[in-house]
Amino acid sequence: MKIEDRLVASVVNGLRTLYGQDVASESVQLQKTKREFEGHLTLVVFPFLKISRKGPEQTAQEIGEFLKANEAAVAAFNVIKGFLNLTVASAAWIELLNEIHTDGEYGLTKADERSPLVMIEYSSPNTNKPLHLGHVRNNLLGNALANIVAANGNRVVKTNIVNDRGIHICKSMLAWKKYGNGETPESSGKKGDHLVGDYYVAFDKHYKEEVAGLIEKGMTKEEAETASPLMQEAREMLVKWEAGDSEVRDLWTMMNNWVYAGFDETYRKMGVSFDKIYYESETYLEGKEKVMEGLEKGFFFKKEDGSVWADLTAEGLDHKLLLRGDGTSVYMTQDIGTAKLRFADYPIDKMIYVVGNEQNYHFQVLSILLDKLGFEWGKSLVHFSYGMVELPEGKMKSREGTVVDADDLMEEMIETAKETSQELGKLDGLTQAEADDIARIVGLGL
């Protein structure tokens, strides 16, 4: 029994004994004692003055004396006007802790088939780079949120949307094709996600060199970036990918599989898992279809260049691009398509997106669009927003290689835990395997 419930029952008993009146337990108000006073819990006695027919201090004193004499959970008390401050006995705390320890389900509310179904999306990596510090934070927040929501009696589906297509992916692919010389994770000894990330950085390096050369020839920065042969090749590769070009698709499949193997290893070490993984390559067409449906129904409009937009000025926002003039999709298109597939897969009652606060506007728009398109949970979707991780020198940039790698961070935490434990003599007498396991548990909290 909770200490509060135990005390409420004793107060009700005390009022009956002292004043001959039965009082409903709901009228007994216990609150946390203010920091400046001694005690753990405070009883408000003003509601009982009518039955005691005495002043607040005398009533509090009489109730306190009764509890001290008859309730073992009360070690001491003091009276401040109409407030009875109770100090809970150490034995009562120990008894409660023992109950909690022996009850494996303490504090948990079990879900059943009628419980609300909550889908929580987190991680959302790109397949052109390994996971970094920002992903670590996102994954741990998402996984913790899923555990909390489940503990409160909800059915939970943990989901991940992998951004496995687009211009950024093509940049890594093109760089590997041009500069890779057939390098593989096996031949290099690198994790697949790290290898692909190296070529994303390589693309940016060569691209910047091209842009700088074009600027020296008299172009503006904007003109040079548009005219860059390397960037034009990447855009052409994206168009070929969307057209289903077999050579481009084969290269894409091979490099993505390298990345997935690397991701899986990182997720396992982090203690993070998912119930369902969606891929942008499978959702963007669904999104395009849904956008065209919205266009036909008059929710959206088309510009002269063929691009499709949503006019959200009535909602106090602006115009939002949904399809480019060349027919290629944007992130919003993908999220609409993913929503369609999720709604078909699961009877979702609530959708929670765990994404940094730089995407606040994106999810504000997505909520409106999903509602327009008929998704029941669209208007009530939750964006679990949080501040972004930045280095002292500014925002992390994967294309420039200025990130804190997730694998490196975890290895460093394990190594630090091992060194500290050795210095304190905590690993003395243990086998190497036992010492490594302790270092992992301490370093990662798993």
Side-chain angles (χ1 to χ4, degrees):
M1 179 185 292
K2 289 184 178 179
I3 290 175
E4 290 90 340
D5 295 340
R6 181 173 169 180
L7 291 177
V8 167
S10 292
V11 170
V12 170
N13 183 41
L15 293 172
R16 184 186 306 112
T17 302
L18 293 169
Y19 310 120
Q21 295 283 338
D22 286 320
V23 174
S25 59
E26 291 78 13
S27 65
V28 179
Q29 302 174 35
L30 281 176
Q31 57 194 30
K32 187 176 180 181
T33 303
K34 291 184 178 180
R35 189 174 298 177
E36 59 266 30
F37 301 118
E38 183 181 353
H40 298 111
L41 295 170
T42 297
L43 174 69
V44 182
V45 302
F46 293 105
F48 313 128
L49 300 185
K50 286 185 178 180
I51 64 172
S52 72
R53 298 181 181 180
K54 299 174 183 177
E57 291 191 5
Q58 186 178 353
T59 301
Q61 184 69 30
E62 289 178 352
I63 296 173
E65 289 174 354
F66 177 88
L67 294 175
K68 181 70 168 58
N70 296 279
E71 175 51 69
V74 176
F77 71 92
N78 63 86
V79 176
I80 305 294
K81 297 183 179 178
F83 300 92
L84 173 60
N85 300 321
L86 303 172
T87 298
V88 178
S90 298
W93 292 118
I94 294 171
E95 182 181 340
L96 176 61
L97 290 172
N98 284 332
E99 287 179 9
I100 293 171
H101 179 67
T102 56
D103 183 0
E105 301 296 318
Y106 181 85
L108 304 180
T109 302
K110 288 187 176 181
D112 57 34
E113 66 276 2
R114 295 168 297 175
S115 300
L117 178 63
V118 181
M119 179 174 281
I120 302 177
E121 177 195 291
Y122 57 99
S123 196
S124 306
N126 297 326
T127 58
N128 61 321
K129 56 190 176 184
L131 303 180
H132 55 60
L133 175 59
H135 291 111
V136 172
R137 187 181 189 191
N138 180 280
N139 278 283
L140 297 183
L141 283 172
N143 206 56
L145 180 63
N147 291 338
I148 292 169
V149 172
N152 280 277
N154 297 282
R155 292 179 293 152
V156 173
V157 176
K158 299 181 290 184
T159 186
N160 184 2
I161 175 68
V162 178
N163 302 300
D164 63 341
R165 59 164 293 281
I167 190 66
H168 298 304
I169 312 305
C170 289
K171 288 176 181 179
S172 294
M173 292 163 57
L174 183 61
W176 183 87
K177 190 174 180 181
K178 282 181 169 291
Y179 320 119
N181 297 315
E183 186 178 26
T184 67
E186 292 75 20
S187 68
S188 64
K190 296 179 181 177
K191 280 180 76 221
D193 51 341
H194 286 245
L195 177 64
V196 173
D198 288 345
Y199 285 101
Y200 184 56
V201 174
F203 177 95
D204 189 66
K205 174 177 175 290
H206 288 280
Y207 169 64
K208 285 181 175 177
E209 289 173 356
E210 277 191 353
V211 170
L214 293 171
I215 291 174
E216 286 181 5
K217 293 179 180 179
M219 288 188 182
T220 65
K221 185 173 185 291
E222 186 176 15
E223 290 172 339
E225 289 174 346
T226 302
S228 162
L230 197 60
M231 186 60 76
Q232 288 179 358
E233 282 189 75
R235 292 194 189 99
E236 290 169 4
M237 180 175 277
L238 177 58
V239 172
K240 286 183 177 180
W241 184 93
E242 295 210 358
D245 182 270
S246 58
E247 182 181 345
V248 172
R249 286 292 183 119
D250 288 345
L251 175 60
W252 170 78
T253 299
M254 178 181 72
M255 295 183 70
N256 272 355
N257 284 337
W258 293 346
V259 174
Y260 298 146
F263 284 173
D264 287 346
E265 186 177 332
T266 305
Y267 285 137
R268 279 195 299 272
K269 181 172 286 187
M270 204 182 298
V272 168
S273 63
F274 305 95
D275 301 307
K276 177 71 174 180
I277 297 178
Y278 293 90
Y279 299 90
E280 185 186 347
S281 58
E282 298 172 352
T283 66
Y284 84 103
L285 288 176
E286 299 284 349
K288 290 173 73 171
E289 180 183 306
K290 205 69 181 171
V291 168
M292 296 309 295
E293 178 186 315
L295 181 64
E296 291 175 7
K297 292 181 177 179
F299 299 150
F300 311 134
F301 68 96
K302 182 179 286 189
K303 290 189 176 181
E304 291 182 0
D305 64 356
S307 58
V308 178
W309 297 72
D311 181 0
L312 303 177
T313 53
E315 286 81 7
L317 303 175
D318 54 10
H319 291 180
K320 181 65 180 178
L321 175 66
L322 301 178
L323 285 176
R324 299 187 184 94
D326 61 4
T328 56
S329 57
V330 295
Y331 277 121
M332 190 64 70
T333 324
Q334 167 216 299
D335 280 342
I336 292 171
T338 307
K340 177 185 175 182
L341 291 178
R342 286 171 173 164
F343 198 68
D345 291 341
Y346 300 93
I348 302 169
D349 294 299
K350 184 177 285 293
M351 181 73 213
I352 303 176
Y353 295 86
V354 181
V355 184
N357 58 12
E358 64 178 7
Q359 295 295 327
N360 286 353
Y361 175 74
H362 175 89
F363 286 101
Q364 186 180 2
V365 171
L366 179 62
S367 177
I368 295 170
L369 295 179
L370 291 178
D371 183 57
K372 286 180 180 290
L373 291 169
F375 293 98
E376 294 176 12
W377 47 266
K379 188 173 288 186
S380 62
L381 73 79
V382 176
H383 175 206
F384 187 88
S385 177
Y386 59 90
M388 301 299 291
V389 176
E390 292 190 358
L391 301 176
E393 57 270 23
K395 186 176 179 181
M396 294 187 291
K397 297 180 180 178
S398 297
R399 63 179 179 274
E400 296 179 6
T402 57
V403 296
V404 177
D405 180 77
D407 294 314
D408 292 343
L409 177 63
M410 288 190 287
E411 284 302 322
E412 186 174 340
M413 294 302 296
I414 293 171
E415 191 58 35
T416 299
K418 181 181 293 186
E419 290 174 0
T420 302
S421 299
Q422 287 174 335
E423 290 172 4
L424 296 174
K426 301 295 184 181
L427 304 181
D428 295 348
L430 300 180
T431 65
Q432 187 62 52
E434 290 170 335
D436 290 344
D437 193 45
I438 289 174
R440 178 190 59 78
I441 293 170
V442 174
L444 301 182
L446 298 172

